[in-house]
């Protein structure tokens, strides 16, 4: 089976081809182009969608060429139907629909967040993990139970990625700002007090956002260090409670923020206490990419046929915990 996946939920336009022969799975190509807003600014949905529209032909051509595959050799085409930014989602959907209808290839609209999880599981070998999904669009703790991914904690306001990006932009860095904040944080060990907000098993980051802006004049490195320590400890507390509650013996981190070493360090020490195996999605595939979509399409194709063209919508607020998992 040859599967093309198209990702366009936010800043990234990506096409990837995965080949599955029996149990053997190989990522043949994963090509990405990322919309970069001007320094100090966030994603402008219309500008990002223009970027995706302009870059989609080249990304697709490069993806096919790297994989050495012709379009009519593809068995399925999948696209991220949500959640995400409407104008961006529509570009991926239009590309997928055009190819699928012209070449008569089955089409699969798939959930972007589920793509993060399934690719993370496939690449790390985690079997039945508690999942921490931390990205630009998500902050969720999830476990699979009775046909659905159930939420055992999430953010009540902004996501962990948004928190880091908004602080970074305030300080004048270009998005995505997580790596720059991680670098600055590693240069300090001077903790300045910030609000720590865990409610039930949910977290709230909006108070830390305002408070971190106020302490930046005391020292940018100290502010970044304190921001990471506070936000990651909150996540750690919620993850630890979810581990105790669900009794899961594996933890998997996925999403762009999974690249952060300090976050892994904190979660690894929690896993040690709970005799739990620790997995983190490989850095190259932690953030948004076509492979997530391509692999999820392959999984879905084992239990259902392609979607009718008239049902190939985009759903901006498509929550992961509403998806019925049949494979
Ligand atoms: P995604 O939406 O999955 O592509 O993830 C993007 C998010 O990951 C952005 O908010 C980035 O700032 C964040 N990110 C990327 N690398 C790091 C890092 N090393 N530390 C913290 N956050 C990161
Ligand atoms: Mg994502």
């Amino acid at each position: 089976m040859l599967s093309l996946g198209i990702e366009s939920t936010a800043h990234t336009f990506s096409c990837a081809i995965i080949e599955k022969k029996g149990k053997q799975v190989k990522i043949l190509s994963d090509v990405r182009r990322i919309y970069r807003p001007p320094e100090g600014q966030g994603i402008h949905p219309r500008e990002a969608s223009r970027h995706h529209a302009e870059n989609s032909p080249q990304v697709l051509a490069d993806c096919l060429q790297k994989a050495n595959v012709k379009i009519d050799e593809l068995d399925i085409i999948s696209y991220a139907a949500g959640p995400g930014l409407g104008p961006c989602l529509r570009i991926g959907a239009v590309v997928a629909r055009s190819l699928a209808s012209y070449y008569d290839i089955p089409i699969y609209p798939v959930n972007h967040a589920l793509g993060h999880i399934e690719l993370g599981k496939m690449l790390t070998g985690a079997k039945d993990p508690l999942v921490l999904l931390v990205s630009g669009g998500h902050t969720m703790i999830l476990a699979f139970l009775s046909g659905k991914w159930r939420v055992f904690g999430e953010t009540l306001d902004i996501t962990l990625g948004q928190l880091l990006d908004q602080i970074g932009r305030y300080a004048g860095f270009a998005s995505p700002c997580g790596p720059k904040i991680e670098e600055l944080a590693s240069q300090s060990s001077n903790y300045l007090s910030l609000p720590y907000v865990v409610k039930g098993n949910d977290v709230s980051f909006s108070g830390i956002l305002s408070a971190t802006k106020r302490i930046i004049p005391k020292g940018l490195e100290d502010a970044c260090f304190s921001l990471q320590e506070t936000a990651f400890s909150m996540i750690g507390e919620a993850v630890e409670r979810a581990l105790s509650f669900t009794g899961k013996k594996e933890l998997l981190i996925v999403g762009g923020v999974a690249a952060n070493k300090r976050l892994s360090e904190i979660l690894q020490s929690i896993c040690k206490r709970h005799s739990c195996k620790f997995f983190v999605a490989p850095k190259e595939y932690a953030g948004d990419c076509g492979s997530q979509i391509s692999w999820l399409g392959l999984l879905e194709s084992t239990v259902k046929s392609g979607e009718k063209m008239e049902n190939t919508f985009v759903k901006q607020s498509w929550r992961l915990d509403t998806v019925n998992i049949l494979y």
Side-chain angles (χ1 to χ4, degrees), residues 30-318:
D30 187 319
V31 179
R32 307 163 199 181
R33 287 209 185 162
I34 301 178
Y35 159 76
R36 307 239 180 239
E39 278 187 22
Q41 290 181 28
I43 299 182
H44 189 305
R46 200 185 58 231
E47 294 303 320
S49 76
R50 185 173 302 161
H51 165 275
H52 296 349
E54 284 170 3
N55 285 280
S56 55
Q58 197 57 50
V59 170
L60 177 65
D62 291 351
C63 169
L64 291 162
Q65 198 211 343
K66 274 199 182 152
N68 198 17
V69 167
K70 295 193 181 65
I71 298 184
D72 56 11
E73 292 173 326
L74 293 168
D75 295 294
I76 59 168
I77 295 175
S78 313
Y79 68 95
L85 304 170
C88 298
L89 288 169
R90 279 192 282 277
I91 304 298
V94 164
V95 174
R97 256 185 242 129
S98 313
L99 296 175
S101 54
Y102 188 81
Y103 291 94
D104 196 20
I105 299 168
I107 186 167
Y108 290 83
V110 303
N111 183 284
H112 166 88
L114 190 53
H116 271 288
I117 297 180
E118 292 298 355
L119 188 72
K121 278 178 65 189
M122 191 268 280
L123 293 175
T124 60
K127 295 275 177 290
D128 179 26
L130 183 78
V131 172
L132 172 64
L133 169 57
V134 271
S135 64
H138 289 87
T139 297
M140 275 183 163
I141 299 166
L142 303 132
F144 187 73
L145 189 80
S146 305
K148 277 185 180 164
W149 284 92
R150 317 276 169 175
V151 180
F152 286 87
E154 62 185 319
T155 179
L156 296 170
D157 38 53
I158 56 172
T159 66
L160 185 53
Q162 281 166 345
L163 171 67
L164 300 172
D165 290 343
Q166 288 196 33
I167 288 297
R169 288 206 296 273
Y170 180 80
F173 313 144
S175 280
C177 311
K180 183 74 186 167
I181 290 184
E182 179 172 21
E183 184 198 322
L184 290 168
S186 71
Q187 293 161 22
S188 162
S189 53
N190 182 28
Y191 183 76
L192 305 171
S193 183
L194 286 172
Y196 180 103
V197 188
V198 179
K199 296 181 180 179
N201 212 42
D202 292 328
V203 292
S204 160
F205 291 129
S206 56
I208 308 187
L209 175 62
S210 319
T212 307
K213 286 178 181 170
R214 282 197 295 274
I215 60 167
I216 284 179
K218 293 185 185 168
L220 188 54
E221 289 86 354
D222 295 348
C224 291
F225 171 73
S226 309
L227 170 65
Q228 283 203 170
E229 292 305 300
T230 313
F232 296 171
S233 301
M234 286 163 52
I235 291 285
E237 180 190 325
V239 163
E240 183 157 20
R241 202 176 290 113
L243 272 181
S244 296
F245 183 64
T246 59
K248 296 285 181 194
K249 288 294 161 207
E250 297 177 332
L251 174 68
L252 168 66
I253 327 179
V254 296
V257 188
N260 189 289
K261 294 206 175 60
R262 179 61 184 143
L263 178 63
S264 277
E265 212 174 83
I266 291 175
L267 294 171
Q268 229 162 346
S269 71
I270 290 169
C271 283
K272 225 173 170 181
R273 277 204 292 279
H274 290 260
S275 311
C276 171
K277 279 192 197 163
F278 177 75
F279 299 94
V280 55
K283 200 169 173 176
E284 196 190 341
Y285 296 103
D288 297 348
C289 61
S291 295
Q292 293 157 350
I293 307 308
S294 175
W295 175 236
L296 182 52
L298 275 168
L299 291 175
E300 296 205 348
S301 72
T302 59
V303 289
K304 57 183 182 192
S305 44
E307 193 56 79
K308 284 186 189 148
M309 206 49 78
E310 57 265 36
N311 294 336
T312 53
F313 300 118
V314 300
K315 294 181 252 181
Q316 290 185 67
S317 315
W318 186 14

